[in-house]
Structures are given as C-alpha cells and as structure tokens.
C-alpha cells in the first residue's frame, strides 16, 4: 500500500515523482481519469508514465490532459452521475501548438518562455528556456532538480539515510515502473531529509529527461530561430 496522495492513480503503487517517469496532477485541474468509473472522476495525485503507456487507450488520457494544458480559464462541461455540470477550470495556458508529430505534440506557453511536450501515449514534459538552450547545443535535457517530497508507505528505518534512488524504488517495489531510469550514468540523487513521525522523505534528483527523438529534432531547429519574449515579470 502506498500513502494517500503518493500512490499512482492507475496502479495504486507508490509513485515518487521523477521528471519523465512520474508526475502529479492536482484534482483542481479537473483532468478526467478515463480508466476509472465511479465517483472519483478526476486525477488527483501522481501517475507512473509507464502505467499511462499501458492503458488500453492511452490517447484518451492524452486528449484529456492536452485539453486542460492548452486551456486557460474556461468553463468546463462534464457529465457527473448522469447529470451535466459546468465547472470552472484553470488550464496551464500552453495555448500555441508549434509541432505535431507521430509520437508527440509540442505547445508554447501563452505568457512565458516555456514549452510542453505531450506524447500521444500520455507522458508529458515541461521545458524552460535554459533547457531549450541545452537542446539547441545538442546536449541532453536535464531535469530542474528541485526538492521532491514523498511520503513512505511505512517507516523504512535508518537504511533510508544511505539509499540511492535504485534502493528507494526497489524498497518500494516499483523499479519496473521506472524503466531505464536508474541505468542513467549521470543520475544525481541526493537524500535531503527524512521525518519519521510522518514518514516524509525529501530528496533532490537530477536526471536526463527522455524526450522523444522527434521532439528533440524539432526543438533543436526551433531554438535556433526562437526569439525569447520579454514579459514584465522577467528580470
Ligand atoms: Zn502506476
């Protein structure tokens, strides 16, 4: 069993967030979970990308996610329990499509120098301008590496202080949900802290983001001609 809010919304197993392998969608984004029936209509928690890819119809989720991600502040009509309701949804505002390929679509943000790659099979990747520059220079995209918090299903004892990422995922029994991740030679996992009373683990992780090759090829060319937009909030 995984701690509530830290279980994959598809398989129910622990799902620590890792750029390119598992990410979280909060319930207020109102992204429908097409694989589920019953009263929990919307995704509200993390998803293993490997679980998304294995859905019978991954495109259905991808279309739901894309509708939210490319929207801004629109009314959103949904059928709940046989009745139609109109809810207010705040999208992510990636409003301009700049690429559509065999594997993915790419969108530019409406007011920031940010991009979103959405695979037709479900996974998605956010990119900022520094990451776009890495692509332009022919280098792999590295994750931003901020602090990640994960609630352990049970207290693992003192071992957790010495674990690497592979040990953590192995202990949680979910190595198979993160294919090829721990084989990355430049994986940088850093334990930050663990708070036993609430079983809260915090760590830093920098990994290479597994962007589809067609996205990299397009963005390399795109970055060379992209003129960054300066917005009032830029410094
Ligand atoms: Zn899963």
């Amino acid at each position: 069993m995984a701690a509530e809010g830290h279980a994959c919304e598809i398989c129910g197993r622990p799902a620590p967030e890792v750029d390119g392998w598992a990410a979280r969608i909060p319930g207020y984004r109102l992204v429908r979970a097409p694989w589920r029936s019953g009263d929990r209509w919307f995704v509200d928690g993390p998803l293993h990308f490997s679980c998304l890819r294995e859905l019978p119809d991954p495109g259905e989720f991808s279309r739901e996610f894309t509708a939210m991600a490319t929207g801004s502040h629109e009314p959103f009509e949904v059928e709940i329990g046989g009745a139609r309701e109109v809810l207010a949804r705040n999208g992510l505002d990636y409003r301009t499509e700049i690429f559509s390929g065999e594997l993915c679509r790419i969108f530019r943000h409406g007011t920031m120098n940010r991009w979103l790659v959405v695979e037709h099979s479900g996974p998605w990747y956010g990119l900022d301008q520094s990451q776009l520059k890495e692509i332009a220079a022919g280098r792999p995209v590295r994750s931003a590496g901020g602090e990640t918090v994960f609630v352990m299903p049970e207290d693992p004892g003192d071992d957790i202080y010495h674990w690497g990422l592979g040990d953590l995922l192995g202990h949680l029994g979910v190595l198979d949900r993160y294919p090829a991740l721990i084989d990355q030679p430049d994986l940088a996992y850093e334990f930050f802290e663990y708070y036993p009373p609430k079983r809260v683990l915090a760590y830093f992780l920098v990994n290479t983001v597994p962007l589809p090759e067609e996205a990299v090829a397009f963005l390399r060319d795109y970055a060379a001609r992209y003129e960054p937009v300066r917005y009032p909030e830029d410094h």
Side-chain angles (χ1 to χ4, degrees):
M1 282 293 290
E4 193 181 340
H6 295 267
C8 172
E9 289 278 289
I10 299 172
C11 72
R13 294 156 68 194
E17 288 166 67
V18 175
D19 274 14
W21 274 269
R24 172 179 299 274
I25 301 176
Y28 62 81
R29 293 292 181 196
L30 305 181
V31 174
R32 203 169 61 85
W35 59 87
R36 209 152 56 198
S37 56
D39 55 359
R40 289 190 62 220
W41 279 80
F42 302 111
V43 180
D44 186 16
L47 295 158
H48 295 128
F49 286 179
S50 53
C51 286
L52 281 177
R53 292 185 202 282
E54 292 169 8
L55 287 173
D57 182 4
E60 196 178 10
F61 169 80
S62 185
R63 287 188 293 277
E64 293 278 342
F65 177 80
T66 300
M68 180 281 291
T70 57
S72 46
H73 310 285
E74 288 103 4
F76 170 66
E77 196 172 310
V78 65
E79 191 175 314
I80 298 178
R84 293 204 79 74
E85 295 200 25
V86 178
L87 307 170
R89 172 161 80 181
N90 283 335
L92 298 179
D93 205 18
Y94 286 94
R95 61 178 83 152
T96 307
E97 180 166 0
I98 59 171
F99 175 79
S100 179
E102 276 181 38
L103 297 173
C104 68
R105 299 166 75 186
I106 307 177
F107 303 91
R108 196 186 70 211
H109 196 273
T111 57
M112 291 187 284
N113 291 303
R114 295 190 63 87
W115 297 266
L116 182 72
V117 178
V118 185
E119 287 191 36
H120 304 323
S121 59
W124 69 93
Y125 317 87
L127 298 170
D128 64 18
Q129 205 174 332
S130 65
Q131 289 168 315
L132 191 71
K133 283 180 182 165
E134 293 297 295
I135 292 172
R139 288 189 286 267
V141 171
R142 302 286 281 162
S143 61
E147 181 185 344
T148 301
V149 168
F150 179 74
V151 176
M152 298 293 291
E154 53 199 38
D155 190 348
D158 290 347
D159 289 349
I160 195 169
Y161 298 99
H162 313 290
W163 282 347
L165 183 66
D167 302 316
L168 173 67
L169 297 178
H171 176 84
L172 294 169
V174 291
L175 267 173
D176 63 308
R177 295 296 85 196
Y178 298 78
L181 171 63
I182 62 160
D183 300 331
Q184 290 191 355
D186 49 2
L187 195 63
Y189 171 87
E190 187 183 334
F191 170 87
F192 180 51
E193 62 184 0
Y194 177 63
Y195 182 61
K198 293 194 179 297
R199 306 190 312 279
V200 175
L201 165 69
Y203 60 85
F204 296 101
L205 174 65
V206 179
N207 59 280
T208 298
V209 180
L211 288 173
E213 199 47 53
E214 66 175 20
V216 173
F218 170 80
L219 289 169
R220 191 178 294 148
D221 179 51
Y222 170 86
R225 53 193 161 81
Y226 177 72
E227 293 285 337
V229 182
R230 283 192 69 84
Y231 300 104
E233 66 266 32
D234 285 356
H235 298 292

